[in-house]
Amino acid sequence: MAPSADAAAPAPTPPLAPLIATQLKFLLTNSSLPIKVVQIWSGCSSGRYADRFTLGIPFCLDYVYWDFLYNAMHPKVAPDVIFGQGDEGFQPLVDYDESGNGGKSCLAHWDYRDPGGLLCLVEELRLLYIEYQKKLVEKVDDARLKFEISTVLAKEGIEVSMVSSTGRSDEVKFAVPLLDLDLKMMVPGCPWKLPQKIHLQAIFPSLFSVDGVKLPAWVDGMCMAEYIPTLEEDLKLQVVDASASIGCRRRFIEALAPAFGRPLEADPIFCRKATVLSISGIFTFLVHFVIPLQFPKQQPILTLQSCQHCNSQGIPITSPPRNSYPWSPRWEVTEMVERIYDYLADECQNFKKLCSDGFPQAK
């Protein structure tokens, strides 16, 4: 049965007007923040061009969502901006006008021929929004919070935000930049396009830890200004260890080739996984290596997968994960690989028997 006309798919969104598209492209290409486009639409149902969009603007380790409304009929005019729900008090242009500083805004010097106009506007509004949120937080009547603010708010790059929740009291969220390190520069070949920074997120009055990162203990009576230096020293050591661990895992993967042949697959960036093809007589199987972050203190986890046997669902048979083979973190990577090779020479026979006895051979 053919679908009715009422069920027809909605018309595709028309392209942005050229002048507007140029500004948006420049913003996404040149911004130092991971800004994302959430939605594009047209202010006119029959318009040839789209002329408005929603942007996700990074703020306080989250996003705020603002609508930028151009006019496709007059694309040379600067856009209007609608801020998110709950930010009705954020009126930067009104504040500019009341303070007599309206001439400082990039909107006062808007030039449609400048492709960076939208980028300047977003950066300006974001800085004003950071100050707006700080003023909101400073108005909270809580002695402990006021003390925390007085000790850390002057730290460069810190952001704070009021978090309103239905059914419970408002919270204050801190995002505190830690360590003057760009993780992108420490991981060769990483896919990150923007600098990667470490932040401490705290929601007053509780601190929340991050999986995989060991945070120093929070002692009763401590304030954030006391905690942050200890945290930064601790994180610096963890970052150095993590970076060094990538090098150790890479050398281990490279050492697989002389014994097993060149890996079929390998994680080239963080070196957490590798797969090799092995043969014992006529039995062909894969060996999957999962290399833990704590390598070489913790040994790789091995999983064998038959290339010739499938279960009743047609899925290749695999062994349970194995990490009970001989291992010492003090061995050179060549010896680690040789010991694994010797272990698999015996273990693959047990796995072959399991595959042959327990399941029909794939044809």
Side-chain angles (χ1 to χ4, degrees), residues 51-305:
D51 55 4
R52 48 201 65 193
F53 43 81
T54 301
L55 296 181
I57 313 293
F59 170 70
C60 208
L61 301 183
D62 203 344
Y63 281 86
V64 292
Y65 297 92
W66 298 341
D67 295 335
F68 290 78
L69 312 180
Y70 286 83
N71 186 333
M73 300 294 293
H74 304 282
K76 299 179 182 180
V77 179
D80 291 326
V81 185
I82 299 178
F83 303 106
Q85 184 177 3
D87 285 328
E88 291 80 6
F90 180 50
Q91 301 179 356
L93 300 184
V94 174
D95 294 341
Y96 264 145
D97 185 59
E98 291 179 350
S99 63
N101 293 322
K104 294 182 178 181
S105 172
C106 66
L107 290 175
H109 312 282
W110 185 264
D111 183 354
Y112 70 91
R113 294 165 296 186
D114 179 9
L118 178 61
L119 174 60
C120 291
L121 177 60
V122 169
E123 291 177 340
E124 176 182 314
L125 292 177
R126 185 178 181 277
L127 289 175
L128 293 172
Y129 188 73
I130 290 173
E131 294 304 314
Y132 165 74
Q133 286 289 338
K134 286 181 180 180
K135 291 178 180 178
L136 289 182
V137 171
E138 289 172 347
K139 294 178 182 179
V140 177
D141 187 17
D142 185 287
R144 174 59 188 273
L145 177 60
K146 289 182 180 297
F147 174 71
E148 295 287 0
I149 291 173
S150 68
T151 59
V152 301
L153 204 55
K155 184 177 177 65
E156 183 178 357
I158 189 172
E159 297 176 5
V160 294
S161 173
M162 289 291 299
V163 181
S164 300
S165 303
T166 305
R168 63 181 182 181
S169 59
D170 291 348
E171 297 174 326
V172 175
K173 182 167 66 173
F174 289 78
V176 185
L178 303 172
L179 302 180
D180 188 19
L181 293 175
D182 182 1
L183 301 183
K184 177 182 177 182
M185 304 302 295
M186 302 182 69
V187 184
C190 68
W192 307 317
K193 294 182 179 180
L194 298 175
Q196 302 295 307
K197 300 291 185 180
I198 299 175
H199 288 75
L200 168 67
Q201 183 183 74
I203 298 180
F204 183 82
S206 300
L207 285 170
F208 290 81
S209 62
V210 180
D211 292 340
V213 177
K214 297 178 181 178
L215 298 180
W218 178 275
V219 180
D220 289 343
M222 178 181 285
C223 69
M224 288 180 63
E226 296 174 299
Y227 183 74
I228 289 173
T230 302
L231 174 60
E232 288 188 314
E233 287 299 318
D234 190 81
L235 282 176
K236 188 179 296 183
L237 295 175
Q238 293 190 54
V239 168
V240 171
D241 288 345
S243 179
S245 179
I246 294 176
C248 291
R249 295 195 297 271
R250 178 175 288 109
R251 288 191 292 273
F252 174 81
I253 292 176
E254 291 171 349
L256 293 173
F260 292 93
R262 186 180 180 88
L264 299 180
E265 295 179 342
D267 171 10
I269 308 300
F270 301 105
C271 305
R272 294 291 311 279
K273 296 181 180 180
T275 297
V276 298
L277 178 67
S278 295
I279 300 175
S280 177
I282 61 172
F283 180 47
T284 306
F285 60 99
L286 300 176
V287 183
H288 301 290
F289 293 79
V290 176
I291 311 171
L293 291 173
Q294 293 76 22
F295 179 88
K297 294 179 181 179
Q298 294 182 9
Q299 63 207 91
I301 298 172
L302 313 179
T303 302
L304 280 61
Q305 176 183 322

